[in-house]
Amino acid sequence: MIEVNKCPSCCISDSFISVMPHKIFFKESFIVRCSACEFLWSKNQLDDKELTHYYKKQYRNIKKEEFTFGRFKNDLQRAISQYLFYKKYLPCKTEKIIEIGAGWGVSAKYLYKQGFKRTTIVEPDDRVLAMSSNYIDRYDHIDDVDSHFFSFIVLSHVFEHIYNFDDFFKKILSISTRSSVLFIEVPNCENNYLLDNSDTSFHYWFFTKKTLAKILKKYGYQLLEMKFYGKDKFIQTDVNHKHQYTSFDNSIKEYESNDPRAFWIRACFRLEV
């Protein structure tokens, strides 16, 4: 584990306060807030090599996550809802799209079915390889992607897991077309997400609409649209926590940012460097 003592958003060192205790990969840490720009992060983190190995070999086993029919329904529901949000920004169907951290690949397959045949995914989990459609290109790691230029990039619940923003965006910019569009969905930390959600133990970064827009602007992205979504009901995961992700049969709706049901920030950004 390493300690992150420098805000990745404003790059001011030693200017943060402790917000609350936090377990990251089952080890003790705490969430801190930058006193200059209010960005939130977990102070202790795995490095990129450790993180890649973890997601490739252990993540879904530890979470006891299987690709059941219920999980498929949940992922497809979210994929369709996201598609309706960002479809106005999609390129023509001859252009290339990449989804980084594609999970079980449901969203990429949905895009393919909508006619976007040049869709690529990055997903380290070995089990996804066996399930991936042979018509969708798959890579283990973003660094393995070479000589491609993508016009649309999907990051659905991935950005909060990225180890190093500088290295990540250096690679993203190298494989993006000019004026490419980036779709991001992350947990919304403007509500009670940190207190109400039991599934933050694998998250490095915690975003509000202000801090998300600020950090994307740092890397040359201009905000096109940002809204807040969540499911209309919670389920209780234990005595102290409630969660939405596994409540398969609830509707996904738009909410105000501070609504307890507004679990997710959705945003599209255009590259302007």
Side-chain angles (χ1 to χ4, degrees), residues 100-152:
I100 300 168
W104 296 106
V106 174
S107 180
K109 291 177 184 177
Y110 184 77
L111 278 168
Y112 188 93
K113 297 295 185 183
Q114 300 307 306
F116 295 92
K117 306 299 185 184
R118 305 182 76 186
T119 299
T120 296
I121 66 173
V122 175
E123 174 55 52
D125 194 305
D126 288 335
R127 289 182 295 173
V128 177
L129 176 60
M131 299 177 60
S132 296
S133 302
N134 56 15
Y135 48 78
I136 294 177
D137 291 334
R138 175 190 173 270
Y139 296 89
D140 268 3
H141 194 279
I142 185 65
D143 289 340
D144 299 330
V145 182
D146 193 21
S147 301
H148 291 276
F149 293 97
F150 298 96
S151 298
F152 196 85

Side-chain angles (χ1 to χ4, degrees), residues 5-7 10-17 32-39 41:
N5 294 313
K6 187 176 182 180
C7 175
C10 68
C11 299
I12 297 176
S13 299
D14 302 322
S15 181
F16 51 83
I17 58 173
V32 297
R33 176 188 287 114
C34 176
S35 58
C37 71
E38 301 182 343
F39 188 66
W41 71 93

Side-chain angles (χ1 to χ4, degrees), residues 34-269:
C34 176
S35 58
C37 71
E38 301 182 343
F39 188 66
L40 292 156
W41 71 93
S42 178
K43 194 168 187 290
N44 297 317
Q45 303 184 2
L46 299 181
D47 66 26
D48 193 38
K49 185 177 180 179
E50 293 171 316
L51 191 63
T52 299
H53 176 78
Y54 184 86
Y55 283 119
K56 187 175 180 66
K57 299 294 185 182
Q58 301 179 51
Y59 178 67
R60 287 191 173 89
N61 290 331
I62 289 174
K63 294 186 72 176
K64 299 179 180 179
E65 182 179 303
E66 299 292 338
F67 193 57
T68 61
F69 179 65
R71 179 58 192 252
F72 168 75
K73 282 174 57 182
N74 186 81
D75 285 6
L76 182 60
Q77 179 193 43
R78 179 179 285 187
I80 295 171
S81 177
Q82 290 176 344
Y83 176 81
L84 293 175
F85 174 81
Y86 65 60
K87 68 177 184 178
K88 72 181 77 171
Y89 303 112
L90 284 167
C92 66
K93 293 181 178 180
T94 58
E95 296 294 306
K96 293 180 179 180
I97 294 174
I98 187 168
E99 181 177 12
I100 300 168
W104 296 106
V106 174
S107 180
K109 291 177 184 177
Y110 184 77
L111 278 168
Y112 188 93
K113 297 295 185 183
Q114 300 307 306
F116 295 92
K117 306 299 185 184
R118 305 182 76 186
T119 299
T120 296
I121 66 173
V122 175
E123 174 55 52
D125 194 305
D126 288 335
R127 289 182 295 173
V128 177
L129 176 60
M131 299 177 60
S132 296
S133 302
N134 56 15
Y135 48 78
I136 294 177
D137 291 334
R138 175 190 173 270
Y139 296 89
D140 268 3
H141 194 279
I142 185 65
D143 289 340
D144 299 330
V145 182
D146 193 21
S147 301
H148 291 276
F149 293 97
F150 298 96
S151 298
F152 196 85
I153 298 167
V154 177
L155 293 176
S156 178
H157 293 269
V158 171
F159 204 43
E160 65 269 30
H161 302 266
I162 296 297
Y163 166 63
N164 184 297
F165 290 143
D166 287 345
D167 291 346
F168 179 75
F169 279 107
K170 182 178 180 180
K171 181 62 180 181
I172 290 295
L173 294 175
S174 75
I175 62 171
S176 298
T177 60
R178 295 181 64 184
S179 301
S180 61
V181 172
L182 178 66
F183 166 76
I184 291 182
E185 181 170 299
V186 293
N188 171 28
C189 295
E190 293 194 29
N191 60 17
N192 291 327
Y193 179 85
L194 291 176
L195 298 176
D196 289 341
N197 186 27
S198 61
D199 193 32
T200 63
S201 57
F202 307 102
H203 296 181
Y204 285 173
W205 320 105
F206 302 91
F207 298 97
T208 65
K209 59 183 178 182
K210 175 183 175 181
T211 58
L212 181 62
K214 180 179 176 65
I215 205 160
L216 267 293
K217 186 176 181 180
K218 175 182 175 181
Y219 295 101
Y221 286 91
Q222 182 66 38
L223 177 64
L224 296 172
E225 184 175 7
M226 184 181 291
K227 293 183 178 180
F228 303 86
Y229 286 81
K231 294 194 173 184
D232 57 358
K233 297 177 184 177
F234 294 99
I235 62 168
Q236 202 77 23
T237 55
D238 58 39
V239 173
N240 298 313
H241 296 97
K242 53 189 178 180
H243 193 29
Q244 291 182 309
Y245 189 67
T246 51
S247 52
F248 301 120
D249 297 322
N250 298 330
S251 300
I252 295 177
K253 297 180 181 179
E254 182 183 350
Y255 296 99
E256 295 298 318
S257 63
N258 60 352
D259 191 300
R261 294 165 294 181
F263 255 40
W264 312 318
I265 301 173
R266 287 183 184 171
C268 282
F269 298 84

